[in-house]
Amino acid sequence: SWQVPPLPDGGRAGIALAARCGPAECAVAGRVDGRLALWRFVGDRWERVAGVPEIPLGEREPVAAPLIVSGGALHIAADGLCSVTYRYHSLNLSDRPVHRAPRDLWFQHSRGKLDLVALREGTTRIALQRMHTADNVAKFACQFSPPIRPGETASFGYRCSGAEFRGDWYWRQQFVRHTRAYTLNVRHEGLKDVGGITATEELPDGTETLAQETISWDYDGDDLIMTFVRDHLEPDQYATLRWEHV
């Protein structure tokens, strides 16, 4: 269980209003001097999150708990045909409602036109607005109803199928906005002899570092299953998981 001590940088009048905690992490949303404030537990101490927009917050306005995890699931069949499922848990830290979220997907190969399906994960309804599609590319926007108001959260997702892997086994994810945590789950059917698994993280300045410590993998029958986790990601970062067949 978590016990939250007095939080740092509380200004003249600060109060914690909502929290969301997991087994090893915790985040708190509240109000400091009439503005939205966020804190997170890092290592062995609490710190206030920098860069939060100046969103006015009245004494009687509700605040949603910060969301911690977002990510995707990649399923590759034995013949290379794949589907990828994205699930997002988003907190609107801007000062205006969010009506849509642009997204794009690119694959080296596909079997015809990519198929996109919206997934309703919570109370927010989602529609997919296609802006450009080709056999291996999809540019679209997730439209929300109702929109995500400042300080509120929403869960949404989508699934893309029809892409194909032909021997170059890797997944590269770009992050276009601040992401508290990212989890990628991969199931590769029929790959019972893996030759090696490598994970890297590329920082906004182009520096690349190994990220082996956050990979876990195993076999489920004849299938290879992998989990790759990263956290505290910034815009223009990349995370790549690559594996080889013996």
Side-chain angles (χ1 to χ4, degrees), residues 67-101:
L67 287 167
I68 294 175
V69 177
S70 63
L74 178 64
H75 191 131
I76 306 173
D79 63 354
L81 191 65
C82 84
S83 67
V84 59
T85 301
Y86 278 91
R87 288 183 168 88
Y88 296 91
H89 306 283
S90 294
L91 170 64
N92 182 6
L93 292 177
S94 71
D95 58 358
R96 62 186 63 184
V98 174
H99 295 266
R100 62 198 297 273

PDB file of all heavy atoms in Angstrom, residues 67-101:
ATOM      1  N   LEU A  67      -2.982   9.088 -15.365  1.00  0.00           N
ATOM      2  CA  LEU A  67      -2.898   7.751 -15.929  1.00  0.00           C
ATOM      3  C   LEU A  67      -1.440   7.389 -16.158  1.00  0.00           C
ATOM      4  O   LEU A  67      -0.624   8.233 -16.495  1.00  0.00           O
ATOM      5  CB  LEU A  67      -3.678   7.681 -17.237  1.00  0.00           C
ATOM      6  CG  LEU A  67      -5.198   7.699 -17.006  1.00  0.00           C
ATOM      7  CD1 LEU A  67      -5.918   7.962 -18.315  1.00  0.00           C
ATOM      8  CD2 LEU A  67      -5.665   6.403 -16.403  1.00  0.00           C
ATOM      9  N   ILE A  68      -1.157   6.115 -15.991  1.00  0.00           N
ATOM     10  CA  ILE A  68       0.231   5.688 -15.940  1.00  0.00           C
ATOM     11  C   ILE A  68       0.679   4.954 -17.201  1.00  0.00           C
ATOM     12  O   ILE A  68       1.769   5.174 -17.694  1.00  0.00           O
ATOM     13  CB  ILE A  68       0.449   4.786 -14.697  1.00  0.00           C
ATOM     14  CG1 ILE A  68       0.245   5.615 -13.429  1.00  0.00           C
ATOM     15  CG2 ILE A  68       1.810   4.138 -14.705  1.00  0.00           C
ATOM     16  CD1 ILE A  68       0.315   4.809 -12.160  1.00  0.00           C
ATOM     17  N   VAL A  69      -0.152   4.099 -17.778  1.00  0.00           N
ATOM     18  CA  VAL A  69       0.324   3.164 -18.786  1.00  0.00           C
ATOM     19  C   VAL A  69      -0.388   3.363 -20.117  1.00  0.00           C
ATOM     20  O   VAL A  69      -1.583   3.610 -20.164  1.00  0.00           O
ATOM     21  CB  VAL A  69       0.112   1.709 -18.309  1.00  0.00           C
ATOM     22  CG1 VAL A  69       0.528   0.731 -19.388  1.00  0.00           C
ATOM     23  CG2 VAL A  69       0.908   1.454 -17.041  1.00  0.00           C
ATOM     24  N   SER A  70       0.369   3.267 -21.220  1.00  0.00           N
ATOM     25  CA  SER A  70      -0.195   3.128 -22.555  1.00  0.00           C
ATOM     26  C   SER A  70       0.719   2.192 -23.321  1.00  0.00           C
ATOM     27  O   SER A  70       1.856   1.965 -22.934  1.00  0.00           O
ATOM     28  CB  SER A  70      -0.327   4.476 -23.255  1.00  0.00           C
ATOM     29  OG  SER A  70       0.940   5.047 -23.448  1.00  0.00           O
ATOM     30  N   GLY A  71       0.234   1.664 -24.437  1.00  0.00           N
ATOM     31  CA  GLY A  71       1.109   0.768 -25.173  1.00  0.00           C
ATOM     32  C   GLY A  71       0.390   0.029 -26.267  1.00  0.00           C
ATOM     33  O   GLY A  71      -0.687   0.426 -26.713  1.00  0.00           O
ATOM     34  N   GLY A  72       1.015  -1.060 -26.742  1.00  0.00           N
ATOM     35  CA  GLY A  72       0.459  -1.790 -27.863  1.00  0.00           C
ATOM     36  C   GLY A  72       0.747  -3.265 -27.759  1.00  0.00           C
ATOM     37  O   GLY A  72       1.535  -3.723 -26.925  1.00  0.00           O
ATOM     38  N   ALA A  73       0.067  -4.020 -28.639  1.00  0.00           N
ATOM     39  CA  ALA A  73       0.257  -5.460 -28.714  1.00  0.00           C
ATOM     40  C   ALA A  73       0.431  -5.831 -30.175  1.00  0.00           C
ATOM     41  O   ALA A  73      -0.396  -5.464 -31.024  1.00  0.00           O
ATOM     42  CB  ALA A  73      -0.936  -6.197 -28.111  1.00  0.00           C
ATOM     43  N   LEU A  74       1.501  -6.527 -30.479  1.00  0.00           N
ATOM     44  CA  LEU A  74       1.825  -6.949 -31.837  1.00  0.00           C
ATOM     45  C   LEU A  74       1.699  -8.459 -31.918  1.00  0.00           C
ATOM     46  O   LEU A  74       2.309  -9.181 -31.128  1.00  0.00           O
ATOM     47  CB  LEU A  74       3.247  -6.510 -32.194  1.00  0.00           C
ATOM     48  CG  LEU A  74       3.785  -6.912 -33.573  1.00  0.00           C
ATOM     49  CD1 LEU A  74       2.979  -6.246 -34.682  1.00  0.00           C
ATOM     50  CD2 LEU A  74       5.259  -6.543 -33.683  1.00  0.00           C
ATOM     51  N   HIS A  75       0.871  -8.942 -32.876  1.00  0.00           N
ATOM     52  CA  HIS A  75       0.656 -10.381 -33.055  1.00  0.00           C
ATOM     53  C   HIS A  75       1.061 -10.742 -34.475  1.00  0.00           C
ATOM     54  O   HIS A  75       0.487 -10.226 -35.439  1.00  0.00           O
ATOM     55  CB  HIS A  75      -0.813 -10.733 -32.821  1.00  0.00           C
ATOM     56  CG  HIS A  75      -1.065 -12.213 -32.737  1.00  0.00           C
ATOM     57  ND1 HIS A  75      -1.800 -12.792 -31.740  1.00  0.00           N
ATOM     58  CD2 HIS A  75      -0.654 -13.237 -33.521  1.00  0.00           C
ATOM     59  CE1 HIS A  75      -1.855 -14.104 -31.915  1.00  0.00           C
ATOM     60  NE2 HIS A  75      -1.159 -14.391 -33.002  1.00  0.00           N
ATOM     61  N   ILE A  76       2.061 -11.617 -34.595  1.00  0.00           N
ATOM     62  CA  ILE A  76       2.571 -12.044 -35.897  1.00  0.00           C
ATOM     63  C   ILE A  76       2.267 -13.528 -36.078  1.00  0.00           C
ATOM     64  O   ILE A  76       2.681 -14.353 -35.266  1.00  0.00           O
ATOM     65  CB  ILE A  76       4.087 -11.802 -36.019  1.00  0.00           C
ATOM     66  CG1 ILE A  76       4.415 -10.335 -35.714  1.00  0.00           C
ATOM     67  CG2 ILE A  76       4.590 -12.178 -37.410  1.00  0.00           C
ATOM     68  CD1 ILE A  76       5.903 -10.054 -35.650  1.00  0.00           C
ATOM     69  N   ALA A  77       1.524 -13.855 -37.125  1.00  0.00           N
ATOM     70  CA  ALA A  77       1.215 -15.251 -37.416  1.00  0.00           C
ATOM     71  C   ALA A  77       2.437 -15.952 -37.990  1.00  0.00           C
ATOM     72  O   ALA A  77       3.423 -15.313 -38.390  1.00  0.00           O
ATOM     73  CB  ALA A  77       0.043 -15.330 -38.393  1.00  0.00           C
ATOM     74  N   ALA A  78       2.371 -17.273 -38.064  1.00  0.00           N
ATOM     75  CA  ALA A  78       3.510 -18.050 -38.543  1.00  0.00           C
ATOM     76  C   ALA A  78       3.865 -17.706 -39.984  1.00  0.00           C
ATOM     77  O   ALA A  78       5.026 -17.827 -40.399  1.00  0.00           O
ATOM     78  CB  ALA A  78       3.209 -19.542 -38.405  1.00  0.00           C
ATOM     79  N   ASP A  79       2.889 -17.255 -40.782  1.00  0.00           N
ATOM     80  CA  ASP A  79       3.168 -16.908 -42.178  1.00  0.00           C
ATOM     81  C   ASP A  79       3.550 -15.443 -42.354  1.00  0.00           C
ATOM     82  O   ASP A  79       3.688 -14.955 -43.479  1.00  0.00           O
ATOM     83  CB  ASP A  79       1.959 -17.229 -43.060  1.00  0.00           C
ATOM     84  CG  ASP A  79       0.721 -16.415 -42.701  1.00  0.00           C
ATOM     85  OD1 ASP A  79       0.774 -15.673 -41.687  1.00  0.00           O
ATOM     86  OD2 ASP A  79      -0.292 -16.526 -43.410  1.00  0.00           O
ATOM     87  N   GLY A  80       3.729 -14.693 -41.253  1.00  0.00           N
ATOM     88  CA  GLY A  80       4.171 -13.308 -41.316  1.00  0.00           C
ATOM     89  C   GLY A  80       3.067 -12.279 -41.256  1.00  0.00           C
ATOM     90  O   GLY A  80       3.340 -11.090 -41.042  1.00  0.00           O
ATOM     91  N   LEU A  81       1.806 -12.679 -41.465  1.00  0.00           N
ATOM     92  CA  LEU A  81       0.696 -11.730 -41.386  1.00  0.00           C
ATOM     93  C   LEU A  81       0.551 -11.244 -39.948  1.00  0.00           C
ATOM     94  O   LEU A  81       0.642 -12.032 -39.008  1.00  0.00           O
ATOM     95  CB  LEU A  81      -0.592 -12.395 -41.841  1.00  0.00           C
ATOM     96  CG  LEU A  81      -1.804 -11.480 -42.059  1.00  0.00           C
ATOM     97  CD1 LEU A  81      -1.543 -10.510 -43.201  1.00  0.00           C
ATOM     98  CD2 LEU A  81      -3.046 -12.308 -42.336  1.00  0.00           C
ATOM     99  N   CYS A  82       0.320  -9.937 -39.762  1.00  0.00           N
ATOM    100  CA  CYS A  82       0.319  -9.413 -38.404  1.00  0.00           C
ATOM    101  C   CYS A  82      -0.841  -8.460 -38.164  1.00  0.00           C
ATOM    102  O   CYS A  82      -1.445  -7.917 -39.100  1.00  0.00           O
ATOM    103  CB  CYS A  82       1.645  -8.715 -38.083  1.00  0.00           C
ATOM    104  SG  CYS A  82       1.726  -7.007 -38.633  1.00  0.00           S
ATOM    105  N   SER A  83      -1.124  -8.249 -36.903  1.00  0.00           N
ATOM    106  CA  SER A  83      -2.047  -7.206 -36.458  1.00  0.00           C
ATOM    107  C   SER A  83      -1.412  -6.511 -35.270  1.00  0.00           C
ATOM    108  O   SER A  83      -0.675  -7.128 -34.497  1.00  0.00           O
ATOM    109  CB  SER A  83      -3.412  -7.792 -36.066  1.00  0.00           C
ATOM    110  OG  SER A  83      -3.298  -8.595 -34.909  1.00  0.00           O
ATOM    111  N   VAL A  84      -1.669  -5.215 -35.144  1.00  0.00           N
ATOM    112  CA  VAL A  84      -1.149  -4.448 -34.011  1.00  0.00           C
ATOM    113  C   VAL A  84      -2.307  -3.706 -33.370  1.00  0.00           C
ATOM    114  O   VAL A  84      -3.150  -3.128 -34.050  1.00  0.00           O
ATOM    115  CB  VAL A  84      -0.030  -3.477 -34.452  1.00  0.00           C
ATOM    116  CG1 VAL A  84      -0.515  -2.493 -35.501  1.00  0.00           C
ATOM    117  CG2 VAL A  84       0.541  -2.739 -33.250  1.00  0.00           C
ATOM    118  N   THR A  85      -2.355  -3.781 -32.050  1.00  0.00           N
ATOM    119  CA  THR A  85      -3.422  -3.136 -31.286  1.00  0.00           C
ATOM    120  C   THR A  85      -2.812  -2.079 -30.383  1.00  0.00           C
ATOM    121  O   THR A  85      -1.880  -2.367 -29.625  1.00  0.00           O
ATOM    122  CB  THR A  85      -4.183  -4.164 -30.431  1.00  0.00           C
ATOM    123  OG1 THR A  85      -4.738  -5.168 -31.287  1.00  0.00           O
ATOM    124  CG2 THR A  85      -5.308  -3.494 -29.655  1.00  0.00           C
ATOM    125  N   TYR A  86      -3.314  -0.858 -30.476  1.00  0.00           N
ATOM    126  CA  TYR A  86      -2.863   0.240 -29.620  1.00  0.00           C
ATOM    127  C   TYR A  86      -3.947   0.567 -28.611  1.00  0.00           C
ATOM    128  O   TYR A  86      -5.131   0.649 -28.955  1.00  0.00           O
ATOM    129  CB  TYR A  86      -2.570   1.498 -30.444  1.00  0.00           C
ATOM    130  CG  TYR A  86      -1.213   1.521 -31.090  1.00  0.00           C
ATOM    131  CD1 TYR A  86      -1.038   1.023 -32.373  1.00  0.00           C
ATOM    132  CD2 TYR A  86      -0.113   2.056 -30.429  1.00  0.00           C
ATOM    133  CE1 TYR A  86       0.204   1.051 -32.978  1.00  0.00           C
ATOM    134  CE2 TYR A  86       1.125   2.087 -31.025  1.00  0.00           C
ATOM    135  CZ  TYR A  86       1.282   1.588 -32.296  1.00  0.00           C
ATOM    136  OH  TYR A  86       2.521   1.620 -32.891  1.00  0.00           O
ATOM    137  N   ARG A  87      -3.518   0.782 -27.364  1.00  0.00           N
ATOM    138  CA  ARG A  87      -4.418   1.249 -26.317  1.00  0.00           C
ATOM    139  C   ARG A  87      -3.762   2.437 -25.615  1.00  0.00           C
ATOM    140  O   ARG A  87      -2.610   2.354 -25.204  1.00  0.00           O
ATOM    141  CB  ARG A  87      -4.735   0.134 -25.321  1.00  0.00           C
ATOM    142  CG  ARG A  87      -5.651  -0.933 -25.899  1.00  0.00           C
ATOM    143  CD  ARG A  87      -6.027  -1.995 -24.865  1.00  0.00           C
ATOM    144  NE  ARG A  87      -7.110  -2.825 -25.342  1.00  0.00           N
ATOM    145  CZ  ARG A  87      -6.945  -3.927 -26.067  1.00  0.00           C
ATOM    146  NH1 ARG A  87      -5.722  -4.330 -26.383  1.00  0.00           N
ATOM    147  NH2 ARG A  87      -7.987  -4.629 -26.476  1.00  0.00           N
ATOM    148  N   TYR A  88      -4.516   3.519 -25.499  1.00  0.00           N
ATOM    149  CA  TYR A  88      -4.014   4.743 -24.903  1.00  0.00           C
ATOM    150  C   TYR A  88      -4.846   5.110 -23.686  1.00  0.00           C
ATOM    151  O   TYR A  88      -6.063   4.921 -23.659  1.00  0.00           O
ATOM    152  CB  TYR A  88      -4.094   5.911 -25.895  1.00  0.00           C
ATOM    153  CG  TYR A  88      -3.242   5.764 -27.122  1.00  0.00           C
ATOM    154  CD1 TYR A  88      -3.758   5.179 -28.271  1.00  0.00           C
ATOM    155  CD2 TYR A  88      -1.930   6.218 -27.138  1.00  0.00           C
ATOM    156  CE1 TYR A  88      -2.984   5.057 -29.411  1.00  0.00           C
ATOM    157  CE2 TYR A  88      -1.151   6.097 -28.279  1.00  0.00           C
ATOM    158  CZ  TYR A  88      -1.683   5.514 -29.410  1.00  0.00           C
ATOM    159  OH  TYR A  88      -0.915   5.385 -30.539  1.00  0.00           O
ATOM    160  N   HIS A  89      -4.172   5.649 -22.687  1.00  0.00           N
ATOM    161  CA  HIS A  89      -4.818   6.252 -21.516  1.00  0.00           C
ATOM    162  C   HIS A  89      -4.246   7.672 -21.423  1.00  0.00           C
ATOM    163  O   HIS A  89      -3.102   7.855 -21.025  1.00  0.00           O
ATOM    164  CB  HIS A  89      -4.533   5.455 -20.249  1.00  0.00           C
ATOM    165  CG  HIS A  89      -4.899   3.999 -20.361  1.00  0.00           C
ATOM    166  ND1 HIS A  89      -6.188   3.538 -20.276  1.00  0.00           N
ATOM    167  CD2 HIS A  89      -4.132   2.916 -20.574  1.00  0.00           C
ATOM    168  CE1 HIS A  89      -6.200   2.226 -20.423  1.00  0.00           C
ATOM    169  NE2 HIS A  89      -4.959   1.825 -20.609  1.00  0.00           N
ATOM    170  N   SER A  90      -5.009   8.643 -21.838  1.00  0.00           N
ATOM    171  CA  SER A  90      -4.491   9.995 -22.024  1.00  0.00           C
ATOM    172  C   SER A  90      -5.078  10.984 -21.034  1.00  0.00           C
ATOM    173  O   SER A  90      -6.271  10.935 -20.714  1.00  0.00           O
ATOM    174  CB  SER A  90      -4.790  10.481 -23.454  1.00  0.00           C
ATOM    175  OG  SER A  90      -4.083   9.713 -24.390  1.00  0.00           O
ATOM    176  N   LEU A  91      -4.221  11.880 -20.575  1.00  0.00           N
ATOM    177  CA  LEU A  91      -4.606  12.983 -19.698  1.00  0.00           C
ATOM    178  C   LEU A  91      -4.401  14.279 -20.464  1.00  0.00           C
ATOM    179  O   LEU A  91      -3.314  14.542 -20.975  1.00  0.00           O
ATOM    180  CB  LEU A  91      -3.757  12.977 -18.426  1.00  0.00           C
ATOM    181  CG  LEU A  91      -3.859  14.206 -17.511  1.00  0.00           C
ATOM    182  CD1 LEU A  91      -5.264  14.339 -16.936  1.00  0.00           C
ATOM    183  CD2 LEU A  91      -2.828  14.096 -16.378  1.00  0.00           C
ATOM    184  N   ASN A  92      -5.445  15.088 -20.582  1.00  0.00           N
ATOM    185  CA  ASN A  92      -5.355  16.347 -21.300  1.00  0.00           C
ATOM    186  C   ASN A  92      -4.767  17.421 -20.397  1.00  0.00           C
ATOM    187  O   ASN A  92      -5.426  17.921 -19.483  1.00  0.00           O
ATOM    188  CB  ASN A  92      -6.749  16.772 -21.792  1.00  0.00           C
ATOM    189  CG  ASN A  92      -6.703  18.062 -22.588  1.00  0.00           C
ATOM    190  OD1 ASN A  92      -5.631  18.601 -22.870  1.00  0.00           O
ATOM    191  ND2 ASN A  92      -7.865  18.568 -22.945  1.00  0.00           N
ATOM    192  N   LEU A  93      -3.523  17.789 -20.662  1.00  0.00           N
ATOM    193  CA  LEU A  93      -2.838  18.811 -19.876  1.00  0.00           C
ATOM    194  C   LEU A  93      -2.840  20.167 -20.572  1.00  0.00           C
ATOM    195  O   LEU A  93      -2.152  21.089 -20.134  1.00  0.00           O
ATOM    196  CB  LEU A  93      -1.395  18.377 -19.602  1.00  0.00           C
ATOM    197  CG  LEU A  93      -1.233  17.182 -18.665  1.00  0.00           C
ATOM    198  CD1 LEU A  93       0.233  16.806 -18.536  1.00  0.00           C
ATOM    199  CD2 LEU A  93      -1.831  17.463 -17.306  1.00  0.00           C
ATOM    200  N   SER A  94      -3.596  20.302 -21.647  1.00  0.00           N
ATOM    201  CA  SER A  94      -3.692  21.585 -22.333  1.00  0.00           C
ATOM    202  C   SER A  94      -4.822  22.412 -21.719  1.00  0.00           C
ATOM    203  O   SER A  94      -5.500  21.974 -20.786  1.00  0.00           O
ATOM    204  CB  SER A  94      -3.952  21.369 -23.827  1.00  0.00           C
ATOM    205  OG  SER A  94      -5.262  20.899 -24.044  1.00  0.00           O
ATOM    206  N   ASP A  95      -5.011  23.625 -22.245  1.00  0.00           N
ATOM    207  CA  ASP A  95      -6.060  24.493 -21.727  1.00  0.00           C
ATOM    208  C   ASP A  95      -7.284  24.522 -22.640  1.00  0.00           C
ATOM    209  O   ASP A  95      -8.112  25.424 -22.543  1.00  0.00           O
ATOM    210  CB  ASP A  95      -5.531  25.920 -21.521  1.00  0.00           C
ATOM    211  CG  ASP A  95      -4.981  26.520 -22.817  1.00  0.00           C
ATOM    212  OD1 ASP A  95      -4.979  25.811 -23.854  1.00  0.00           O
ATOM    213  OD2 ASP A  95      -4.543  27.684 -22.783  1.00  0.00           O
ATOM    214  N   ARG A  96      -7.406  23.540 -23.545  1.00  0.00           N
ATOM    215  CA  ARG A  96      -8.553  23.474 -24.433  1.00  0.00           C
ATOM    216  C   ARG A  96      -8.952  22.012 -24.653  1.00  0.00           C
ATOM    217  O   ARG A  96      -8.116  21.105 -24.505  1.00  0.00           O
ATOM    218  CB  ARG A  96      -8.233  24.135 -25.769  1.00  0.00           C
ATOM    219  CG  ARG A  96      -7.115  23.488 -26.546  1.00  0.00           C
ATOM    220  CD  ARG A  96      -6.768  24.292 -27.795  1.00  0.00           C
ATOM    221  NE  ARG A  96      -6.275  25.609 -27.442  1.00  0.00           N
ATOM    222  CZ  ARG A  96      -5.982  26.536 -28.342  1.00  0.00           C
ATOM    223  NH1 ARG A  96      -6.172  26.288 -29.637  1.00  0.00           N
ATOM    224  NH2 ARG A  96      -5.513  27.711 -27.953  1.00  0.00           N
ATOM    225  N   PRO A  97     -10.210  21.749 -25.008  1.00  0.00           N
ATOM    226  CA  PRO A  97     -10.645  20.370 -25.229  1.00  0.00           C
ATOM    227  C   PRO A  97      -9.910  19.725 -26.404  1.00  0.00           C
ATOM    228  O   PRO A  97      -9.566  20.393 -27.379  1.00  0.00           O
ATOM    229  CB  PRO A  97     -12.142  20.510 -25.520  1.00  0.00           C
ATOM    230  CG  PRO A  97     -12.522  21.842 -24.969  1.00  0.00           C
ATOM    231  CD  PRO A  97     -11.315  22.718 -25.117  1.00  0.00           C
ATOM    232  N   VAL A  98      -9.690  18.424 -26.296  1.00  0.00           N
ATOM    233  CA  VAL A  98      -9.069  17.662 -27.380  1.00  0.00           C
ATOM    234  C   VAL A  98     -10.162  16.897 -28.112  1.00  0.00           C
ATOM    235  O   VAL A  98     -10.821  16.034 -27.533  1.00  0.00           O
ATOM    236  CB  VAL A  98      -8.007  16.688 -26.832  1.00  0.00           C
ATOM    237  CG1 VAL A  98      -7.469  15.791 -27.957  1.00  0.00           C
ATOM    238  CG2 VAL A  98      -6.858  17.456 -26.188  1.00  0.00           C
ATOM    239  N   HIS A  99     -10.369  17.240 -29.389  1.00  0.00           N
ATOM    240  CA  HIS A  99     -11.409  16.609 -30.192  1.00  0.00           C
ATOM    241  C   HIS A  99     -10.884  15.453 -31.031  1.00  0.00           C
ATOM    242  O   HIS A  99     -11.654  14.562 -31.395  1.00  0.00           O
ATOM    243  CB  HIS A  99     -12.053  17.646 -31.125  1.00  0.00           C
ATOM    244  CG  HIS A  99     -12.797  18.727 -30.410  1.00  0.00           C
ATOM    245  ND1 HIS A  99     -14.154  18.656 -30.177  1.00  0.00           N
ATOM    246  CD2 HIS A  99     -12.378  19.889 -29.855  1.00  0.00           C
ATOM    247  CE1 HIS A  99     -14.542  19.747 -29.527  1.00  0.00           C
ATOM    248  NE2 HIS A  99     -13.484  20.510 -29.312  1.00  0.00           N
ATOM    249  N   ARG A 100      -9.591  15.461 -31.352  1.00  0.00           N
ATOM    250  CA  ARG A 100      -9.027  14.446 -32.233  1.00  0.00           C
ATOM    251  C   ARG A 100      -7.546  14.271 -31.951  1.00  0.00           C
ATOM    252  O   ARG A 100      -6.887  15.175 -31.430  1.00  0.00           O
ATOM    253  CB  ARG A 100      -9.261  14.796 -33.709  1.00  0.00           C
ATOM    254  CG  ARG A 100      -8.603  16.071 -34.138  1.00  0.00           C
ATOM    255  CD  ARG A 100      -9.183  16.615 -35.437  1.00  0.00           C
ATOM    256  NE  ARG A 100      -8.981  15.741 -36.574  1.00  0.00           N
ATOM    257  CZ  ARG A 100      -7.893  15.759 -37.347  1.00  0.00           C
ATOM    258  NH1 ARG A 100      -6.890  16.598 -37.059  1.00  0.00           N
ATOM    259  NH2 ARG A 100      -7.782  14.968 -38.377  1.00  0.00           N
ATOM    260  N   ALA A 101      -7.031  13.099 -32.295  1.00  0.00           N
ATOM    261  CA  ALA A 101      -5.614  12.784 -32.109  1.00  0.00           C
ATOM    262  C   ALA A 101      -5.086  12.153 -33.394  1.00  0.00           C
ATOM    263  O   ALA A 101      -5.450  11.011 -33.710  1.00  0.00           O
ATOM    264  CB  ALA A 101      -5.428  11.841 -30.926  1.00  0.00           C
TER     265      ALA A 101
END
